[in-house]
Amino acid sequence: MPAPQKDGPRANRDIRGVREVQLIDEAGQNRGVMGFFEALQLAEEVGLDLVEIAPNSSPPVCKLLDYGRYRFNEQKKQAEARKRQKTVEVKEIKLRPGIDKHDYDVKMKAVQRFFEEGDKVKVTLRFRGREMAHQDLGLRLLERVKAETQEVAKVESEPQLEGRQMIMILAPR
């Protein structure tokens, strides 16, 4: 049965099928090309691990370092990167063609808040019953939304009719 695959670089005796390695010592100095077992013995004398940094080069580049500390620092870097990354969400605002002025203003405040948070906004205009005969009113309403948000947002997808809904997607600038 094959050994389970480990993530991260190979270290010490996990480095197999290599006769020579390019060695970099703990101070970052290039020691040149030397035999694998000679490099491994040097690592054991210093009390560090022989870690394969560039496995695809010829000969592979190995470095003398504390493998436990190296893994810990890599995990910290990955956690910090995950913490800093922002996932862009798509928030939805639903409108109707006959929306009143105050209701419209409340919806626009919500749209502004979504853009400040860095989210995209999907504006959905729903037609019911006889409103389908007056799609031009809905298109005008979406054009008004586009005009009022043009300084803080760009149109990612123009208004388009899908069944009984007209949809437009806006993204923050």
Side-chain angles (χ1 to χ4, degrees):
M1 197 159 93
Q5 202 57 19
K6 293 181 182 176
D7 60 330
R10 298 186 297 180
N12 298 330
R13 301 228 178 253
D14 291 338
I15 304 171
R16 292 201 171 97
V18 177
R19 289 200 174 126
E20 292 183 328
V21 295
Q22 177 80 27
L23 185 68
I24 299 172
D25 64 12
E26 63 276 7
Q29 299 296 318
N30 189 351
R31 287 281 192 92
V33 178
M34 62 175 58
F36 170 71
F37 291 107
E38 184 183 342
L40 190 61
Q41 186 178 15
L42 188 66
E44 288 171 358
E45 286 172 8
V46 180
L48 296 172
D49 299 302
L50 183 68
V51 180
E52 193 174 40
I53 301 298
N56 297 330
S57 63
S58 179
V61 178
C62 293
K63 190 171 185 178
L64 297 178
L65 48 88
D66 183 354
Y67 188 62
R69 178 177 288 152
Y70 173 77
R71 290 281 308 263
F72 175 74
N73 288 335
E74 287 298 310
Q75 288 174 346
K76 268 178 69 173
K77 283 181 196 171
Q78 289 173 354
E80 189 66 31
R82 276 194 304 272
K83 192 175 8 174
R84 270 193 252 115
Q85 91 181 25
K86 168 79 169 99
T87 55
V88 176
E89 293 181 33
V90 179
K91 304 283 187 164
E92 186 173 19
I93 292 289
K94 293 184 179 180
L95 302 173
R96 295 282 314 282
I99 191 168
D100 197 39
K101 180 174 177 10
H102 181 262
D103 295 333
Y104 176 80
D105 293 341
V106 169
K107 299 276 187 182
M108 290 309 291
K109 280 184 186 172
V111 168
Q112 292 291 342
R113 191 178 72 243
F114 294 152
F115 287 139
E116 288 169 8
E117 293 170 3
D119 296 324
K120 292 182 181 181
V121 177
K122 178 180 177 182
V123 183
T124 304
L125 184 76
R126 181 161 222 141
F127 296 103
R128 292 170 66 186
R130 293 184 185 148
E131 291 172 349
M132 282 300 287
H134 302 285
Q135 293 176 8
D136 58 318
L137 294 175
L139 191 59
R140 268 192 254 145
L141 183 63
L142 288 180
E143 291 297 327
R144 183 174 157 201
V145 170
K146 188 193 317 185
E148 287 185 20
T149 60
Q150 74 182 14
E151 292 178 16
V152 291
K154 60 181 181 272
V155 178
E156 201 167 88
S157 88
E158 291 291 332
Q160 56 191 30
L161 191 67
E162 293 180 8
R164 292 190 158 275
Q165 300 185 118
M166 200 174 279
I167 296 172
M168 176 173 67
I169 299 177
L170 302 169
R173 287 194 186 266

